[in-house]
């Protein structure tokens, strides 16, 4: 983040193209506000008379709002809304619709994300072209991973609560899911 000593909030926002770090600096005597996304300064106000309010910004096409509210004296509460939802609600929802694998592949780490609601596949922040195929026990979504054949297999768990089980297979090896 920045070099200022007024960092008051830090969030990690999971999106299909990666987990983005959002930092917010707030000088409670000067009103100074600095907003960082992935280490890049997005908003900078040096002097503001209004110490409370909101800062609106985007991460890609995702709308975000940091709300600054007083909680007594010269203390403030900072909250993040993502696409109109509280940070907590948004991250809970993302954990339901995104399936993520993070693993070493040819000397570097690769992040593969399946958007379960659209069946889009993202690798290191880039949406890939895929080919879907019905198989005896479910479906397979095939794609190329750095010249290697890969696919995500979707099979029924047989349990309504558990739902569909997604597995990533790269070069005939099953890759363990990551918890982001």
């Amino acid at each position: 983040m920045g070099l200022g000593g007024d960092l008051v909030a830090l969030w990690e926002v999971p999106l299909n193209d990666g987990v983005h770090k959002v930092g917010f600096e707030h000088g409670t005597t000067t009103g100074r506000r600095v907003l960082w996304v992935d280490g890049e300064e997005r908003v900078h106000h040096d002097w503001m008379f209004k110490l409370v309010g909101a800062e609106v910004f985007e991460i890609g096409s995702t709308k975000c709002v940091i709300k600054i509210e007083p909680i007594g004296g010269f203390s403030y509460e900072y909250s993040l809304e993502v696409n109109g939802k509280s940070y907590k609600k948004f991250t809970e929802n993302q954990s339901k619709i995104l399936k993520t694998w993070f693993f070493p592949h040819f000397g570097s780490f690769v992040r593969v994300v399946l958007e379960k609601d659209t069946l889009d596949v993202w690798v290191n922040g880039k949406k890939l072209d895929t080919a879907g195929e019905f198989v005896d026990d479910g479906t397979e979504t095939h794609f190329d991973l750095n010249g290697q054949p890969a696919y995500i297999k979707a099979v029924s768990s047989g349990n309504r609560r558990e739902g569909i089980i997604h597995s990533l297979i790269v070069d005939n090896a099953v890759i363990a899911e990551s918890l982001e």
Side-chain angles (χ1 to χ4, degrees):
M1 295 300 141
L3 299 173
D6 295 325
L7 185 66
V8 293
L10 189 60
W11 297 275
E12 291 186 347
V13 180
L15 298 175
N16 51 20
D17 65 343
V19 178
H20 299 275
K21 289 184 178 10
V22 175
F24 187 63
E25 297 177 21
H26 186 220
T28 56
T29 55
T30 63
R32 178 178 185 265
R33 296 181 191 179
V34 182
L35 171 70
W36 302 85
V37 177
D38 296 330
E40 176 188 321
E41 188 176 290
R42 295 281 186 92
V43 175
H44 188 123
H45 303 292
D46 273 324
W47 186 263
M48 294 185 67
F49 291 107
K50 189 172 183 187
L51 296 177
V52 296
E55 287 295 339
V56 179
F57 63 102
E58 291 184 350
I59 303 173
S61 61
T62 303
K63 184 180 177 191
C64 301
V65 178
I66 294 176
K67 292 186 175 180
I68 308 158
E69 299 174 11
I71 55 172
F74 285 101
S75 298
Y76 299 91
E77 180 178 74
Y78 306 91
S79 59
L80 177 65
E81 286 185 2
V82 184
N83 278 345
K85 295 180 181 140
S86 72
Y87 173 74
K88 182 180 181 200
K89 189 85 167 159
F90 179 80
T91 55
E92 286 171 358
N93 189 50
Q94 290 296 89
S95 71
K96 291 176 188 170
I97 65 169
L98 297 180
K99 188 80 160 180
T100 305
W101 296 269
F102 189 70
F103 58 98
H105 186 64
F106 288 124
S108 62
F109 277 87
V110 175
R111 183 177 188 269
V112 175
V113 176
L114 169 67
E115 281 187 66
K116 292 191 270 186
D117 56 348
T118 62
L119 297 181
D120 288 336
V121 175
W122 297 73
V123 174
N124 293 338
K126 292 187 173 55
K127 186 174 162 187
L128 295 186
D129 290 329
T130 60
E133 175 182 356
F134 289 101
V135 293
D136 289 339
D137 55 349
T139 63
E140 294 178 354
T141 303
H142 292 264
F143 57 97
D144 180 76
L145 183 65
N146 300 325
Q148 298 252 203
Y151 63 94
I152 296 173
K153 186 168 186 126
V155 297
S156 173
S157 66
N159 180 337
R160 282 185 62 171
R161 284 208 168 124
E162 208 172 318
I164 297 173
I165 298 172
H166 296 88
S167 304
L168 173 64
I169 294 92
V170 178
D171 201 24
N172 294 319
V174 177
I175 306 298
E177 179 186 358
S178 298
L179 301 174
E180 282 192 328

